[in-house]
Amino acid sequence: MASSLKRIILGTPLATAAAKHERLGKLTGLAVFASDALSSVAYATEEILLVLVTAGTAALSLSLPIGTAIAVLVIIVASSYWQTIHAYPSGGGAYIVAKDNLGTLPGLVAGAALLIDNVLTVAVSIAAGVAAITSAFPPLFPWRVTLGVLTVVGITVANLRGVRESGRLFAVPTYWFIGSLVLLILTGFFRVLTGTARPLPPDEIQATHAVTLFLIMRAFSSGCAALTGTEAVSNGIPAFRPPESRNAGIVLAWMATILATTFMALTYLAHIYHVVPRETETVISILARQIFGENMFYYNIQAATAMILLLAANTSFADFPRLSSIMARDGFMPRQLANRGDKLVFSNGILILAGLSILLLVIFRGSTHALIPLYAVGVFLSFTLSQAGMVRHWLKEEHPALHHIALNGLGALTTGIVTVVIAASKFTLGAWVVVVLVPMIV
Protein backbone atom coordinates (compact mmCIF):
# COMPACT_ATOMS: atom_id res chain seq x y z
CA MET A 1 0.00 0.00 0.00
CA ALA A 2 2.76 2.43 1.03
CA SER A 3 4.78 1.46 -2.04
CA SER A 4 1.81 2.13 -4.34
CA LEU A 5 1.20 5.55 -2.77
CA LYS A 6 4.88 6.40 -3.22
CA ARG A 7 4.70 5.50 -6.92
CA ILE A 8 1.60 7.66 -7.40
CA ILE A 9 3.25 10.69 -5.78
CA LEU A 10 6.82 10.32 -7.08
CA GLY A 11 6.37 8.31 -10.29
CA THR A 12 8.29 5.25 -11.42
CA PRO A 13 11.95 4.80 -10.40
CA LEU A 14 14.73 5.71 -12.83
CA ALA A 15 17.73 3.55 -13.68
CA THR A 16 21.07 4.94 -12.52
CA ALA A 17 22.23 5.00 -16.15
CA ALA A 18 19.53 7.60 -16.85
CA ALA A 19 21.29 10.19 -14.67
CA LYS A 20 23.08 11.85 -17.59
CA HIS A 21 19.76 12.26 -19.42
CA GLU A 22 18.34 14.12 -16.41
CA ARG A 23 20.84 16.97 -16.94
CA LEU A 24 19.66 20.57 -17.45
CA GLY A 25 20.09 22.83 -20.46
CA LYS A 26 20.86 26.55 -20.13
CA LEU A 27 17.25 27.76 -20.24
CA THR A 28 16.03 25.18 -17.74
CA GLY A 29 19.17 25.64 -15.64
CA LEU A 30 18.44 29.37 -15.31
CA ALA A 31 14.98 28.51 -13.98
CA VAL A 32 16.28 25.95 -11.46
CA PHE A 33 19.44 27.62 -10.15
CA ALA A 34 18.75 31.34 -10.63
CA SER A 35 15.14 31.67 -9.50
CA ASP A 36 16.21 32.54 -5.93
CA ALA A 37 18.55 35.35 -6.98
CA LEU A 38 16.17 36.71 -9.64
CA SER A 39 13.16 36.64 -7.34
CA SER A 40 14.95 38.67 -4.67
CA VAL A 41 14.33 41.86 -6.67
CA ALA A 42 10.73 41.56 -5.46
CA TYR A 43 11.75 42.35 -1.87
CA ALA A 44 15.34 43.71 -1.89
CA THR A 45 14.29 47.30 -2.68
CA GLU A 46 11.52 47.08 -0.09
CA GLU A 47 13.99 46.00 2.61
CA ILE A 48 16.18 49.06 1.86
CA LEU A 49 13.20 51.41 2.06
CA LEU A 50 11.92 49.86 5.31
CA VAL A 51 15.16 50.89 7.02
CA LEU A 52 15.48 54.33 5.39
CA VAL A 53 11.88 55.34 6.10
CA THR A 54 12.66 55.38 9.83
CA ALA A 55 14.79 58.47 9.13
CA GLY A 56 11.90 60.30 7.43
CA THR A 57 10.79 60.87 3.86
CA ALA A 58 13.94 62.70 2.76
CA ALA A 59 16.12 59.69 3.61
CA LEU A 60 14.34 57.54 1.00
CA SER A 61 16.42 59.18 -1.75
CA LEU A 62 19.44 57.33 -0.34
CA SER A 63 17.98 54.15 -1.88
CA LEU A 64 19.54 55.13 -5.23
CA PRO A 65 23.23 55.21 -4.17
CA ILE A 66 22.69 52.18 -1.94
CA GLY A 67 21.04 50.31 -4.81
CA THR A 68 23.90 51.25 -7.14
CA ALA A 69 26.46 49.89 -4.66
CA ILE A 70 24.55 46.60 -4.44
CA ALA A 71 24.30 46.32 -8.25
CA VAL A 72 28.08 46.78 -8.53
CA LEU A 73 28.51 44.12 -5.85
CA VAL A 74 26.36 41.73 -7.92
CA ILE A 75 28.72 42.14 -10.89
CA ILE A 76 31.85 41.66 -8.73
CA VAL A 77 30.52 38.50 -7.06
CA ALA A 78 29.22 36.99 -10.31
CA SER A 79 32.54 37.66 -12.08
CA SER A 80 34.41 36.00 -9.23
CA TYR A 81 32.15 32.95 -9.32
CA TRP A 82 32.54 32.71 -13.11
CA GLN A 83 36.21 31.95 -12.45
CA THR A 84 35.27 29.42 -9.76
CA ILE A 85 32.97 27.57 -12.17
CA HIS A 86 35.77 27.05 -14.69
CA ALA A 87 38.39 26.20 -12.06
CA TYR A 88 36.14 23.68 -10.25
CA PRO A 89 33.89 22.03 -12.88
CA SER A 90 32.88 19.26 -10.47
CA GLY A 91 30.82 21.73 -8.41
CA GLY A 92 30.66 22.05 -4.63
CA GLY A 93 31.07 25.81 -4.63
CA ALA A 94 32.39 27.53 -1.51
CA TYR A 95 32.77 24.32 0.52
CA ILE A 96 35.02 22.58 -2.02
CA VAL A 97 37.06 25.70 -2.83
CA ALA A 98 37.64 26.65 0.82
CA LYS A 99 38.46 23.08 1.92
CA ASP A 100 40.90 22.46 -0.93
CA ASN A 101 42.77 25.75 -0.60
CA LEU A 102 42.31 27.05 2.95
CA GLY A 103 41.94 23.81 4.91
CA THR A 104 39.24 21.63 6.46
CA LEU A 105 38.02 24.11 9.08
CA PRO A 106 37.39 27.01 6.64
CA GLY A 107 35.69 24.50 4.34
CA LEU A 108 33.34 23.37 7.09
CA VAL A 109 32.59 26.98 8.03
CA ALA A 110 31.67 27.72 4.40
CA GLY A 111 29.57 24.55 4.18
CA ALA A 112 27.73 25.27 7.44
CA ALA A 113 27.06 28.87 6.39
CA LEU A 114 25.63 27.75 3.04
CA LEU A 115 23.42 25.05 4.55
CA ILE A 116 21.93 27.59 6.99
CA ASP A 117 21.41 30.08 4.18
CA ASN A 118 19.65 27.46 2.04
CA VAL A 119 17.12 26.83 4.80
CA LEU A 120 16.56 30.58 5.22
CA THR A 121 16.22 30.99 1.45
CA VAL A 122 13.26 28.61 1.42
CA ALA A 123 11.60 30.30 4.39
CA VAL A 124 12.15 33.88 3.15
CA SER A 125 11.18 33.19 -0.47
CA ILE A 126 7.95 31.46 0.49
CA ALA A 127 7.07 34.08 3.13
CA ALA A 128 7.62 36.83 0.52
CA GLY A 129 5.57 34.93 -2.06
CA VAL A 130 2.67 34.60 0.35
CA ALA A 131 3.01 38.35 1.10
CA ALA A 132 2.54 39.08 -2.62
CA ILE A 133 -0.67 37.03 -2.58
CA THR A 134 -2.03 38.69 0.57
CA SER A 135 -1.19 42.15 -0.85
CA ALA A 136 -3.59 41.46 -3.73
CA PHE A 137 -6.10 39.56 -1.57
CA PRO A 138 -5.97 40.94 2.02
CA PRO A 139 -8.55 38.47 3.46
CA LEU A 140 -5.93 35.71 3.05
CA PHE A 141 -3.48 37.43 5.43
CA PRO A 142 -4.48 35.39 8.54
CA TRP A 143 -3.77 32.19 6.56
CA ARG A 144 -0.22 33.11 5.54
CA VAL A 145 1.51 30.40 7.64
CA THR A 146 -0.77 27.65 6.33
CA LEU A 147 -0.25 28.80 2.73
CA GLY A 148 3.51 28.80 3.26
CA VAL A 149 3.60 25.29 4.73
CA LEU A 150 1.44 23.86 1.94
CA THR A 151 3.78 25.43 -0.63
CA VAL A 152 6.84 23.82 0.95
CA VAL A 153 5.10 20.44 0.78
CA GLY A 154 4.24 20.94 -2.89
CA ILE A 155 7.80 21.94 -3.86
CA THR A 156 9.18 18.99 -1.89
CA VAL A 157 7.03 16.53 -3.84
CA ALA A 158 8.02 18.16 -7.16
CA ASN A 159 11.73 17.79 -6.35
CA LEU A 160 11.36 14.21 -5.15
CA ARG A 161 9.98 13.42 -8.61
CA GLY A 162 13.35 14.20 -10.22
CA VAL A 163 15.63 16.96 -11.52
CA ARG A 164 14.40 17.26 -15.07
CA GLU A 165 10.72 17.18 -14.13
CA SER A 166 11.21 19.90 -11.49
CA GLY A 167 13.26 21.94 -13.98
CA ARG A 168 10.42 21.89 -16.48
CA LEU A 169 7.92 22.74 -13.75
CA PHE A 170 9.86 25.83 -12.62
CA ALA A 171 10.84 27.12 -16.08
CA VAL A 172 7.44 28.64 -16.90
CA PRO A 173 7.05 30.72 -13.67
CA THR A 174 10.63 32.03 -13.95
CA TYR A 175 10.21 33.34 -17.47
CA TRP A 176 6.69 34.55 -16.72
CA PHE A 177 8.12 36.64 -13.86
CA ILE A 178 10.99 38.01 -15.97
CA GLY A 179 8.57 38.98 -18.76
CA SER A 180 6.10 40.60 -16.34
CA LEU A 181 8.87 42.50 -14.59
CA VAL A 182 10.23 43.82 -17.89
CA LEU A 183 6.71 44.95 -18.85
CA LEU A 184 6.32 46.75 -15.50
CA ILE A 185 9.70 48.47 -15.83
CA LEU A 186 9.26 49.51 -19.48
CA THR A 187 5.75 50.83 -18.80
CA GLY A 188 6.98 52.72 -15.75
CA PHE A 189 9.83 54.36 -17.68
CA PHE A 190 7.52 55.10 -20.62
CA ARG A 191 5.11 56.95 -18.32
CA VAL A 192 7.98 58.93 -16.79
CA LEU A 193 9.39 59.90 -20.22
CA THR A 194 5.98 60.87 -21.64
CA GLY A 195 4.87 62.78 -18.55
CA THR A 196 1.96 60.40 -17.87
CA ALA A 197 3.38 58.99 -14.62
CA ARG A 198 1.17 59.29 -11.55
CA PRO A 199 3.50 59.44 -8.53
CA LEU A 200 1.97 59.03 -5.10
CA PRO A 201 1.55 62.23 -3.09
CA PRO A 202 4.75 62.69 -1.07
CA ASP A 203 4.17 61.59 2.52
CA GLU A 204 5.74 63.62 5.28
CA ILE A 205 6.89 60.84 7.56
CA GLN A 206 8.15 61.76 11.00
CA ALA A 207 11.74 60.58 11.50
CA THR A 208 12.34 58.26 14.45
CA HIS A 209 16.06 57.82 13.71
CA ALA A 210 18.76 60.17 12.47
CA VAL A 211 20.50 59.55 9.14
CA THR A 212 23.70 57.98 10.45
CA LEU A 213 26.37 55.75 8.94
CA PHE A 214 24.95 52.86 10.97
CA LEU A 215 21.47 53.41 9.49
CA ILE A 216 22.90 53.46 5.96
CA MET A 217 24.83 50.28 6.75
CA ARG A 218 21.62 48.61 7.92
CA ALA A 219 19.80 49.64 4.74
CA PHE A 220 22.69 48.38 2.60
CA SER A 221 22.88 45.06 4.45
CA SER A 222 19.11 44.58 4.08
CA GLY A 223 19.34 45.19 0.32
CA CYS A 224 22.20 42.68 0.07
CA ALA A 225 19.52 39.99 0.31
CA ALA A 226 19.44 40.50 -3.48
CA LEU A 227 22.69 38.53 -3.79
CA THR A 228 21.55 35.39 -2.02
CA GLY A 229 21.43 32.49 -4.44
CA THR A 230 24.28 33.79 -6.60
CA GLU A 231 26.48 30.85 -5.58
CA ALA A 232 23.87 28.21 -6.50
CA VAL A 233 25.07 27.90 -10.11
CA SER A 234 28.64 27.09 -9.03
CA ASN A 235 27.33 24.48 -6.58
CA GLY A 236 25.25 22.74 -9.22
CA ILE A 237 27.61 22.51 -12.22
CA PRO A 238 27.25 18.68 -12.50
CA ALA A 239 23.50 19.13 -13.07
CA PHE A 240 24.16 20.85 -16.45
CA ARG A 241 24.55 19.13 -19.80
CA PRO A 242 28.08 18.96 -21.27
CA PRO A 243 30.08 21.14 -21.54
CA GLU A 244 29.05 21.71 -17.92
CA SER A 245 31.33 24.62 -17.03
CA ARG A 246 30.55 26.58 -20.17
CA ASN A 247 26.78 26.18 -19.77
CA ALA A 248 26.93 27.05 -16.05
CA GLY A 249 29.04 30.14 -16.79
CA ILE A 250 26.55 31.36 -19.39
CA VAL A 251 23.65 30.88 -16.95
CA LEU A 252 25.57 32.81 -14.26
CA ALA A 253 26.18 35.72 -16.67
CA TRP A 254 22.50 35.80 -17.68
CA MET A 255 21.42 35.75 -14.05
CA ALA A 256 23.76 38.56 -12.94
CA THR A 257 22.75 40.80 -15.86
CA ILE A 258 19.01 40.34 -15.27
CA LEU A 259 19.37 40.72 -11.50
CA ALA A 260 21.46 43.92 -11.52
CA THR A 261 19.35 45.57 -14.25
CA THR A 262 15.90 44.83 -12.83
CA PHE A 263 16.93 45.61 -9.24
CA MET A 264 18.28 49.05 -10.18
CA ALA A 265 15.27 49.80 -12.40
CA LEU A 266 12.77 48.96 -9.65
CA THR A 267 14.72 50.97 -7.08
CA TYR A 268 14.73 53.99 -9.40
CA LEU A 269 10.99 53.66 -10.20
CA ALA A 270 10.14 53.33 -6.49
CA HIS A 271 11.97 56.64 -5.94
CA ILE A 272 10.30 58.40 -8.90
CA TYR A 273 6.81 57.20 -7.91
CA HIS A 274 7.36 58.18 -4.22
CA VAL A 275 6.69 54.65 -3.01
CA VAL A 276 6.74 54.26 0.77
CA PRO A 277 6.68 50.72 2.24
CA ARG A 278 3.51 49.62 4.03
CA GLU A 279 2.91 46.85 6.53
CA THR A 280 0.08 45.22 4.57
CA GLU A 281 1.28 45.75 0.98
CA THR A 282 4.57 45.07 -0.77
CA VAL A 283 6.52 47.79 -2.60
CA ILE A 284 6.19 45.99 -5.93
CA SER A 285 2.41 45.84 -5.44
CA ILE A 286 2.22 49.59 -4.70
CA LEU A 287 4.40 50.34 -7.74
CA ALA A 288 2.31 48.12 -10.02
CA ARG A 289 -0.92 49.80 -8.87
CA GLN A 290 0.49 53.22 -9.73
CA ILE A 291 1.87 52.17 -13.12
CA PHE A 292 -0.89 49.84 -14.34
CA GLY A 293 -3.88 50.70 -12.17
CA GLU A 294 -5.87 47.88 -10.58
CA ASN A 295 -6.49 45.79 -13.71
CA MET A 296 -5.35 42.52 -15.27
CA PHE A 297 -1.78 43.82 -15.68
CA TYR A 298 -1.61 44.53 -11.94
CA TYR A 299 -2.92 41.07 -11.03
CA ASN A 300 -0.56 39.52 -13.58
CA ILE A 301 2.52 41.06 -11.94
CA GLN A 302 1.27 40.01 -8.50
CA ALA A 303 0.62 36.45 -9.66
CA ALA A 304 3.98 36.20 -11.41
CA THR A 305 5.79 37.66 -8.39
CA ALA A 306 4.03 35.31 -5.99
CA MET A 307 4.79 32.31 -8.20
CA ILE A 308 8.50 33.05 -8.65
CA LEU A 309 8.93 33.75 -4.93
CA LEU A 310 7.11 30.60 -3.93
CA LEU A 311 9.18 28.57 -6.37
CA ALA A 312 12.49 30.39 -5.79
CA ALA A 313 12.87 28.03 -2.88
CA ASN A 314 13.62 25.43 -5.54
CA THR A 315 17.15 26.84 -5.84
CA SER A 316 17.82 25.59 -2.31
CA PHE A 317 16.08 22.30 -3.03
CA ALA A 318 18.63 21.84 -5.82
CA ASP A 319 21.58 23.17 -3.79
CA PHE A 320 21.13 21.92 -0.19
CA PRO A 321 20.85 18.18 -1.01
CA ARG A 322 23.76 18.31 -3.47
CA LEU A 323 26.06 20.14 -1.02
CA SER A 324 24.96 17.79 1.79
CA SER A 325 25.83 14.78 -0.37
CA ILE A 326 29.32 16.13 -1.07
CA MET A 327 29.94 16.78 2.64
CA ALA A 328 28.51 13.33 3.50
CA ARG A 329 30.92 11.65 1.06
CA ASP A 330 33.74 13.49 2.83
CA GLY A 331 32.57 12.06 6.16
CA PHE A 332 31.28 15.30 7.71
CA MET A 333 27.53 14.54 7.53
CA PRO A 334 25.46 11.33 7.84
CA ARG A 335 26.27 8.98 4.93
CA GLN A 336 22.55 8.60 4.13
CA LEU A 337 22.64 12.13 2.68
CA ALA A 338 24.95 10.89 -0.09
CA ASN A 339 22.42 8.29 -1.31
CA ARG A 340 20.16 8.95 -4.29
CA GLY A 341 16.51 7.96 -4.19
CA ASP A 342 14.39 6.18 -6.80
CA LYS A 343 14.24 9.32 -8.97
CA LEU A 344 18.03 9.88 -8.82
CA VAL A 345 17.73 12.83 -6.41
CA PHE A 346 19.14 13.15 -2.88
CA SER A 347 15.82 12.47 -1.18
CA ASN A 348 17.03 12.61 2.43
CA GLY A 349 18.53 16.09 1.97
CA ILE A 350 15.31 17.30 0.34
CA LEU A 351 13.19 16.05 3.24
CA ILE A 352 15.48 17.57 5.90
CA LEU A 353 15.45 20.95 4.13
CA ALA A 354 11.64 20.86 3.90
CA GLY A 355 11.24 20.06 7.61
CA LEU A 356 13.59 22.83 8.79
CA SER A 357 11.98 25.41 6.47
CA ILE A 358 8.48 24.59 7.71
CA LEU A 359 9.73 24.96 11.29
CA LEU A 360 11.08 28.46 10.54
CA LEU A 361 7.84 29.54 8.84
CA VAL A 362 5.82 28.45 11.87
CA ILE A 363 8.18 30.02 14.44
CA PHE A 364 8.37 33.38 12.62
CA ARG A 365 4.65 33.34 11.66
CA GLY A 366 5.45 33.57 7.95
CA SER A 367 6.86 37.11 8.26
CA THR A 368 9.48 38.09 5.65
CA HIS A 369 10.63 41.09 7.70
CA ALA A 370 11.18 38.92 10.80
CA LEU A 371 13.29 36.43 8.81
CA ILE A 372 15.38 38.93 6.81
CA PRO A 373 17.73 39.90 9.71
CA LEU A 374 18.91 36.27 9.81
CA TYR A 375 19.45 36.29 6.07
CA ALA A 376 22.62 36.94 4.06
CA VAL A 377 25.17 36.58 6.89
CA GLY A 378 25.84 32.96 5.97
CA VAL A 379 25.96 33.47 2.24
CA PHE A 380 28.39 36.41 2.41
CA LEU A 381 30.61 34.46 4.78
CA SER A 382 30.72 31.64 2.23
CA PHE A 383 31.33 34.18 -0.58
CA THR A 384 34.37 35.51 1.30
CA LEU A 385 35.86 32.07 2.04
CA SER A 386 35.26 30.92 -1.54
CA GLN A 387 36.97 33.94 -3.10
CA ALA A 388 39.87 33.82 -0.63
CA GLY A 389 40.25 30.15 -1.51
CA MET A 390 40.33 31.00 -5.22
CA VAL A 391 43.16 33.51 -4.63
CA ARG A 392 45.13 30.72 -2.97
CA HIS A 393 44.21 28.38 -5.85
CA TRP A 394 45.67 30.75 -8.47
CA LEU A 395 48.80 31.38 -6.37
CA LYS A 396 49.52 27.63 -6.28
CA GLU A 397 49.73 27.48 -10.10
CA GLU A 398 53.14 27.36 -11.76
CA HIS A 399 52.46 30.60 -13.64
CA PRO A 400 49.81 32.53 -11.66
CA ALA A 401 47.60 34.79 -13.77
CA LEU A 402 47.51 38.21 -12.13
CA HIS A 403 44.07 39.10 -13.51
CA HIS A 404 42.58 35.93 -11.96
CA ILE A 405 44.17 36.76 -8.61
CA ALA A 406 43.04 40.40 -8.79
CA LEU A 407 39.41 39.55 -9.61
CA ASN A 408 39.00 36.93 -6.87
CA GLY A 409 40.96 39.15 -4.47
CA LEU A 410 38.53 42.00 -5.13
CA GLY A 411 35.64 39.59 -4.58
CA ALA A 412 37.09 38.39 -1.26
CA LEU A 413 37.75 41.94 -0.05
CA THR A 414 34.31 43.34 -0.93
CA THR A 415 32.31 40.36 0.35
CA GLY A 416 34.45 40.27 3.51
CA ILE A 417 33.63 43.90 4.24
CA VAL A 418 29.93 43.25 3.56
CA THR A 419 29.98 40.23 5.90
CA VAL A 420 31.26 42.42 8.74
CA VAL A 421 28.72 45.16 7.91
CA ILE A 422 25.80 42.70 7.90
CA ALA A 423 26.88 40.95 11.10
CA ALA A 424 27.43 44.26 12.94
CA SER A 425 24.34 46.12 11.72
CA LYS A 426 21.92 43.20 12.18
CA PHE A 427 23.46 41.42 15.15
CA THR A 428 20.82 42.45 17.68
CA LEU A 429 18.01 42.01 15.15
CA GLY A 430 18.65 38.29 14.72
CA ALA A 431 21.98 37.89 12.90
CA TRP A 432 23.44 36.63 16.22
CA VAL A 433 21.52 33.38 15.64
CA VAL A 434 23.54 32.60 12.50
CA VAL A 435 26.78 33.77 14.15
CA VAL A 436 26.18 31.24 16.93
CA LEU A 437 24.84 28.41 14.71
CA VAL A 438 27.79 28.26 12.26
CA PRO A 439 30.43 27.25 14.87
CA MET A 440 27.92 24.88 16.52
CA ILE A 441 27.36 23.07 13.21
CA VAL A 442 31.10 22.98 12.49
Side-chain angles (χ1 to χ4, degrees), residues 63-259:
S63 64
L64 295 178
I66 291 172
T68 302
I70 293 171
V72 171
L73 189 59
V74 169
I75 303 303
I76 292 173
V77 171
S79 300
S80 299
Y81 268 106
W82 189 89
Q83 294 195 152
T84 304
I85 285 172
H86 290 82
Y88 285 85
S90 60
Y95 165 69
I96 293 293
V97 175
K99 185 170 75 72
D100 284 358
N101 297 287
L102 302 177
T104 300
L105 183 59
L108 292 178
V109 171
L114 274 178
L115 291 175
I116 292 171
D117 189 72
N118 281 323
V119 176
L120 285 166
T121 292
V122 176
V124 169
S125 296
I126 289 178
V130 171
I133 294 172
T134 57
S135 292
F137 304 101
L140 293 175
F141 186 78
W143 299 92
R144 62 193 184 281
V145 177
T146 303
L147 290 172
V149 170
L150 290 175
T151 304
V152 174
V153 172
I155 296 173
T156 302
V157 171
N159 276 274
L160 289 173
R161 291 188 64 89
V163 175
R164 189 168 61 184
E165 289 190 45
S166 65
R168 288 171 177 168
L169 176 66
F170 299 122
V172 173
T174 299
Y175 292 108
W176 176 23
F177 173 70
I178 293 172
S180 299
L181 203 58
V182 169
L183 178 62
L184 174 68
I185 291 168
L186 291 179
T187 306
F189 275 98
F190 175 78
R191 292 192 182 282
V192 171
L193 293 173
T194 58
T196 57
R198 296 181 294 110
L200 288 160
D203 288 338
E204 285 302 323
I205 300 171
Q206 187 68 34
T208 56
H209 293 82
V211 179
T212 62
L213 179 60
F214 188 74
L215 183 92
I216 294 171
M217 285 168 55
R218 273 187 56 204
F220 173 77
S221 61
S222 295
C224 281
L227 278 89
T228 53
T230 307
E231 79 292 340
V233 178
S234 70
N235 290 343
I237 300 169
F240 286 91
R241 292 173 187 158
E244 291 88 344
S245 292
R246 180 177 181 276
N247 288 333
I250 291 171
V251 167
L252 180 66
W254 287 352
M255 180 191 70
T257 303
I258 297 169
L259 174 60

Side-chain angles (χ1 to χ4, degrees), residues 331-419:
F332 297 117
M333 295 187 77
R335 58 182 174 79
Q336 290 85 351
L337 291 170
N339 300 332
R340 291 183 184 268
D342 290 346
K343 301 293 285 187
L344 304 180
V345 295
F346 300 106
S347 307
N348 292 324
I350 290 172
L351 292 171
I352 290 172
L353 175 61
L356 292 173
S357 304
I358 288 173
L359 184 63
L360 276 180
L361 284 170
V362 172
I363 291 173
F364 288 90
R365 304 300 301 160
S367 170
T368 308
H369 308 312
L371 287 163
I372 283 289
L374 283 72
Y375 210 25
V377 179
V379 74
F380 272 93
L381 177 58
S382 66
F383 283 170
T384 304
L385 291 170
S386 175
Q387 300 316 309
M390 284 302 299
V391 172
R392 182 74 181 273
H393 169 80
W394 299 123
L395 287 171
K396 289 190 297 185
E397 290 195 334
E398 187 176 349
H399 301 290
L402 292 179
H403 67 283
H404 288 325
I405 296 170
L407 183 54
N408 285 125
L410 178 63
L413 177 64
T414 53
T415 55
I417 292 171
V418 173
T419 303

